[in-house]
Amino acid sequence: MASTTLYSQRDPMLKKRDDFEDILEERRNSSDLKYAVRCYAPVLYKGLTPCKANMLKSMVLQSDHLRYVINQVSQESGEAPDIIHEEASVILEEMAHRLKISTVRFFAFTLTKAFKTLFQHICVNEEGIHRLQQAIQEHPVVLLPSHRSYMDFLLMSYILYTYDLALPVIAAGMDFMGMKFIGEMLRMSGAFFIRRSFGGDKLYWAVFSEYVKTMLRNGFAPIEFFLEGTRSRTCKSLTPKIGLLNIVMEPFFKGEVFDVHLVPISISYERILEESLYARELLGVPKPKESTSGLLKARRILSENYGSIHVYFGQPVSIRSLAQDKVNRCKYNLVPRHIPRKPTKETQSFVTDTAYRIVRLQEDSMVLKPWVLMASILLQNLEGLELSLLTEQTLWLRGLAQSCGAFLDWPDHTPSAKVVSSSLALHRGLVCVSGGRVSLVLGEPQGLVTPEEALFNRAVSVLSCASYRNQILHVFIRPAILAVAIHNAASSKKDEVFNCFSFLCKMFSDEFILCPGDTVQDFEEACYLLVKSGSVQTLQQNIVVTDRGQSTLSFLNGLLESFLQGYQVVCQYFCEEACDSLTEKQYIPAVRSFAVKLILAGNLRCYEVLSSDMQKNALAALLRLGAVSKVKVADQVTLKVNKLAVNSLEDTLGGRLPTQKAVLARL
């Protein structure tokens, strides 16, 4: 297998990352059938023999925990325990995996064919694989991959099969069951299916949690789920969902296992299979329903080139080590283990903090390709720029990204012009080169189109390109927030800049991964990185921008401009057009319509404002800060607007109102 080396400059000295091996190289030079039917004998936790699916279901249905909940539900509903037990059995039958090695071999064969067609390389850090192999033998393991594509869970199982590791059981959404034949194939390759929401269904929650905990306690297989809960349509990390993480930690809290190891996994795509689909979803086009026929129609993607994938298996994280001095496990001894109990505030805080730390680890090991840098520059130059200038600015941005700790995959010994031109060729659907000038493809469809249709097509291109720029935001987000704070603060005094920085972190905490309670640490990190790059100096409690730093801060301000404008447009909508009876369901179409009017009137140039993801995050921020509240009237929940508070936030975001503690206090 061929190897590649990637570097990070998280420290002033160059820091070497794990080497990567291209697992497709061997597949291209050997028989796919032999690979699929080869001897597969993974080592399991403490040498256990694999557990049959029926035996696992029997253990769940006979568990003390489920029997306790069945009796509870029986008393509350008045139905006989036997009937409730039968309901639990039906739920489990619908949910449970039926892992079969024959199905795994079928997928190994077909995926090899597909991957060799779609991708040039699939690169894996083998040191991470060795660490995982060791962890699986010693402790129950939970795999936590990033989630950017439907391909993720297939890719994970494919890699583990390739390296002769125990195949994971994977939490999948119930919507995959609509795929009939494919849904059952996924079940037989290790997927177990759960509803997107449980509501107050106590029995369903008990069956689900006991099923997961039984697999974990007995170490039958690594458990895999996505902390973000769903695919990120924007390719930014999503705020982690902690329900499943709570479940897999509980056996440790209760002393049922000595430790649990969490493995953060970063999956980086050079070109995303769903790029235009995601953009359309964000613009309000309904998500296609998962179906076998839809999958067959998607075969046309096999004629496209999607570049490389990098999969980085991070260092296993010990829950035992993390919880030391943070969680008092003695409290769990006060009641029998099988009796369900609500997590304490201390436990909930620990789980939330762990979730954020894991997502940060995923982000830190995301491998960034040159196109990510180029997309960031092109989005700040929608009118286009000369190819030579794009190359020059991409090289400048590479240096800045490396100084901020980016994990870049830049080809060694290849002329910069060739690196840029090959990236442009791979993404030719998004960008065009004409007369030595590079610009995004903002073309309109043939024939007569309405202004709204033309705007929609331009927005699809911009949002598709933004999905690549978003992949590098975690590298720059803290310095970028600081750059905006320096620009908006009333003076260069450090405490005033910090107040502005703190306000922006609160405002954008649903938009970016900013760990709760880390504002001071984030501010210090941002200052360190900008001082290190020579962009600012800290002099006698003042933060001063250097001459050299003007261009850097201008770029960083530009990175956040679309988010600042988007949130201001939402504030403007609430102040000018929102009616008293506005419901949450009406909110997104109404804001989108308002933004479209602004763009068509020439009063707004930011197409990213049309993204439903940004609109949802802006509303979440306004609700959290108390500027908007939810009020239940009859059977409907409406949004009540405090226009004074919303207007104050809009002015503060735009730098028209100094950030003071009083501003937030009024909200």
Side-chain angles (χ1 to χ4, degrees), residues 220-466:
F220 293 137
I223 294 170
E224 178 187 324
F225 63 90
F226 302 107
L227 259 182
E228 297 164 280
T230 186
R231 288 172 298 156
S232 171
R233 270 75 174 167
T234 61
C235 291
K236 287 191 289 95
S237 295
L238 304 178
T239 302
K241 308 292 188 293
I242 62 170
L244 248 172
L245 195 60
N246 255 319
I247 289 172
V248 298
M249 285 190 183
E250 192 177 297
F252 166 72
F253 293 145
K254 289 185 174 181
E256 296 172 313
V257 295
F258 181 77
D259 199 359
V260 177
H261 278 190
L262 309 178
V263 182
I265 301 164
S266 309
I267 307 176
S268 311
Y269 293 89
E270 186 171 9
R271 186 179 165 205
I272 305 155
L273 275 75
E274 303 99 327
E275 66 182 22
S276 63
L277 176 68
Y278 285 168
R280 286 175 165 79
E281 281 186 41
L282 292 170
L283 291 168
V285 177
K287 169 190 168 187
K289 190 177 178 182
E290 283 81 4
S291 66
T292 304
S293 61
L295 183 69
L296 293 173
K297 287 174 187 173
R299 284 180 302 171
R300 64 180 181 276
I301 67 171
L302 292 172
S303 62
E304 294 279 333
N305 175 12
Y306 287 88
S308 301
I309 304 176
H310 283 81
V311 184
Y312 191 93
F313 288 80
Q315 189 80 33
V317 176
S318 161
I319 294 300
R320 188 177 190 86
S321 299
L322 277 184
Q324 194 169 2
D325 301 325
K326 292 180 184 174
V327 178
N328 180 8
R329 294 198 294 154
C330 296
K331 293 177 184 177
Y332 287 87
N333 295 326
L334 300 177
V335 292
R337 287 172 175 169
H338 68 272
I339 296 178
R341 54 177 293 170
K342 216 174 173 184
T344 63
K345 193 175 179 182
E346 171 194 64
T347 302
Q348 202 70 1
S349 175
F350 170 74
V351 175
T352 300
D353 183 67
T354 301
Y356 274 88
R357 304 291 166 198
I358 294 292
V359 177
R360 283 291 306 271
L361 289 171
Q362 289 174 347
E363 288 184 332
D364 285 346
S365 296
M366 286 289 185
V367 176
L368 306 174
K369 303 292 280 188
W371 170 246
V372 169
L373 306 175
M374 294 159 64
S376 304
I377 294 163
L378 286 167
L379 282 170
Q380 295 192 30
N381 296 273
L382 287 181
E383 70 287 350
L385 69 169
E386 296 297 318
L387 178 57
S388 57
L389 182 58
L390 175 62
T391 304
E392 180 186 320
Q393 290 193 4
T394 301
L395 289 172
W396 168 81
L397 187 53
R398 180 184 69 167
L400 181 65
Q402 286 178 326
S403 74
C404 290
F407 197 175
L408 286 175
D409 179 24
W410 189 280
D412 294 329
H413 316 300
T414 305
S416 301
K418 188 173 181 182
V419 172
V420 170
S421 64
S422 63
S423 293
L424 292 171
L426 184 66
H427 297 277
R428 61 187 178 278
L430 290 179
V431 71
C432 64
V433 184
S434 178
R437 193 169 180 81
V438 184
S439 59
L440 290 183
V441 176
L442 300 174
E444 299 168 10
Q446 297 297 314
L448 294 173
V449 292
T450 64
E452 287 81 5
E453 288 172 329
L455 185 153
F456 177 86
N457 283 285
R458 286 194 289 272
V460 167
S461 290
V462 170
L463 289 179
S464 297
C465 190

Side-chain angles (χ1 to χ4, degrees), residues 452-654:
E452 287 81 5
E453 288 172 329
L455 185 153
F456 177 86
N457 283 285
R458 286 194 289 272
V460 167
S461 290
V462 170
L463 289 179
S464 297
C465 190
S467 69
Y468 292 98
R469 183 243 12 236
N470 289 345
Q471 293 178 32
I472 203 169
L473 282 178
H474 69 274
V475 173
F476 292 128
I477 187 57
R478 288 155 189 81
I481 291 176
L482 179 56
V484 175
I486 291 169
H487 180 268
N488 287 359
S491 75
S492 61
K493 288 183 179 177
K494 198 170 185 179
D495 57 349
E496 291 195 21
V497 174
F498 174 76
N499 284 341
C500 192
F501 181 91
S502 180
F503 164 76
L504 291 167
C505 286
K506 288 185 176 78
M507 200 74 196
F508 289 133
S509 64
D510 296 285
E511 198 72 58
F512 309 110
I513 299 300
L514 299 163
C515 300
D518 276 8
T519 307
V520 172
Q521 184 180 324
D522 287 341
F523 181 73
E524 289 171 353
E525 180 186 328
C527 288
Y528 166 76
L529 291 172
L530 287 186
V531 168
K532 178 183 166 187
S533 69
S535 302
V536 302
Q537 292 179 328
T538 51
L539 304 169
Q540 298 178 343
Q541 295 305 307
N542 283 276
I543 299 178
V544 181
V545 181
T546 64
D547 291 339
R548 176 184 166 190
Q550 295 292 343
S551 58
T552 300
L553 267 68
S554 175
F555 168 78
L556 293 173
N557 270 282
L559 271 184
L560 288 188
E561 183 61 29
S562 59
F563 299 96
L564 291 163
Q565 283 195 33
Y567 279 48
Q568 287 176 80
V569 166
V570 169
C571 290
Q572 194 180 340
Y573 165 76
F574 275 121
C575 288
E576 295 178 12
E577 292 211 357
C579 61
D580 292 338
S581 58
L582 179 73
T583 65
E584 245 185 310
K585 193 172 182 180
Q586 295 166 336
Y587 160 74
I588 286 178
V591 172
R592 186 180 290 124
S593 177
F594 179 70
V596 165
K597 287 178 193 172
L598 292 177
I599 294 171
L600 292 176
N603 297 324
L604 181 68
R605 292 192 62 206
C606 179
Y607 293 97
E608 290 182 65
V609 174
L610 300 172
S611 164
S612 58
D613 185 76
M614 187 182 290
Q615 293 156 1
K616 286 175 188 173
N617 290 337
L619 176 60
L622 295 178
L623 287 165
R624 189 168 22 80
L625 294 173
V628 175
S629 55
K630 293 182 182 180
V631 178
K632 191 165 185 179
V633 179
D635 292 331
Q636 281 198 324
V637 176
T638 60
L639 300 174
K640 183 182 177 184
V641 182
N642 179 340
K643 291 192 177 181
L644 180 65
V646 170
N647 194 55
S648 174
L649 288 170
E650 182 188 351
D651 287 344
T652 308
L653 280 168

Side-chain angles (χ1 to χ4, degrees), residues 10-26:
R10 189 164 295 285
D11 300 310
M13 297 297 290
L14 199 65
K15 176 183 172 184
K16 183 177 177 294
R17 298 271 191 169
D18 288 355
D19 287 344
F20 280 81
E21 299 291 329
D22 178 12
I23 62 173
L24 284 188
E25 183 177 304
E26 190 174 326

Side-chain angles (χ1 to χ4, degrees), residues 111 445 447 489:
L111 287 176

